[in-house]
Amino acid sequence: MAVRSAATEGPLVLLGRSAGGWVAHAVAERLESEGAVPAAVVLVDTYPPGHGDRGQALSAMTSDMLRRAAEFASAGPDRLTAMAGYFKLFSGWKPAPLACPTLYIRARDPLPGAEPAPDWSLPHAEVVVDGDHFTMLEEHARTTALAIHQWLRADPV
């Protein structure tokens, strides 16, 4: 309901990062089933649910999140709690193809000890940006935002 309410103000673009991309995709599926097709979906370094390398990727992400939490006082354990909740909520979920265009933003650099995110198997455009899973939205946030903005300005709809 909150997303539908926000959509009354103009074209709706759903964006999700990491496992949050699953939420964005699932919300788009739901909206499309109700006849409210979003303008686009943007998945930022989102690993496909159930990919075979999940344990290795999660270990690398968890290690980096814990390191960052110790380094920056403002970071809290809610990120890990949210990730665990996503895995439970989306257990067995398979994303369906969307009618709206999808952009997959891939980090150029893998996290230490992990492979790059596997390909998103559903139709999408793809852009590779500087950084890894975390730095693409930290020191490389401007480059990532510009890539998304340029794709949206190109009118993918």
Side-chain angles (χ1 to χ4, degrees), residues 12-14 25 28 32 37-43 98-104 123-125 151-152 155-157:
L12 176 69
V13 176
L14 297 167
H25 195 283
E32 286 185 354
V37 178
V41 172
V42 178
L43 305 173
L98 297 172
C100 67
T102 300
L103 173 63
Y104 184 85
H124 66 279
W151 182 75
L152 290 170
D155 196 21
V157 181

Side-chain angles (χ1 to χ4, degrees), residues 19-134:
W22 301 347
V23 175
H25 195 283
V27 168
E29 286 179 28
R30 175 70 180 263
L31 290 171
E32 286 185 354
S33 75
E34 296 172 355
V37 178
V41 172
V42 178
L43 305 173
V44 179
D45 215 42
T46 298
Y47 283 54
H51 74 282
D53 188 30
R54 186 166 83 180
Q56 179 184 4
L58 283 177
S59 178
M61 282 183 211
T62 302
S63 295
D64 217 19
M65 277 194 273
L66 292 172
R67 182 188 61 77
R68 289 164 188 277
E71 197 174 310
F72 303 106
S74 63
D78 54 332
R79 290 170 77 180
L80 290 174
T81 303
M83 187 185 297
Y86 289 148
F87 289 128
K88 183 176 180 180
L89 181 65
F90 286 93
S91 175
W93 175 72
K94 302 279 189 250
L98 297 172
C100 67
T102 300
L103 173 63
Y104 184 85
I105 299 285
R106 180 184 295 277
R108 182 193 66 213
D109 306 320
L111 289 171
E115 296 295 319
D119 290 333
W120 189 259
S121 62
L122 298 174
H124 66 279
E126 185 170 312
V127 174
V128 177
V129 297
D130 292 340
D132 63 30
H133 186 74
F134 296 103

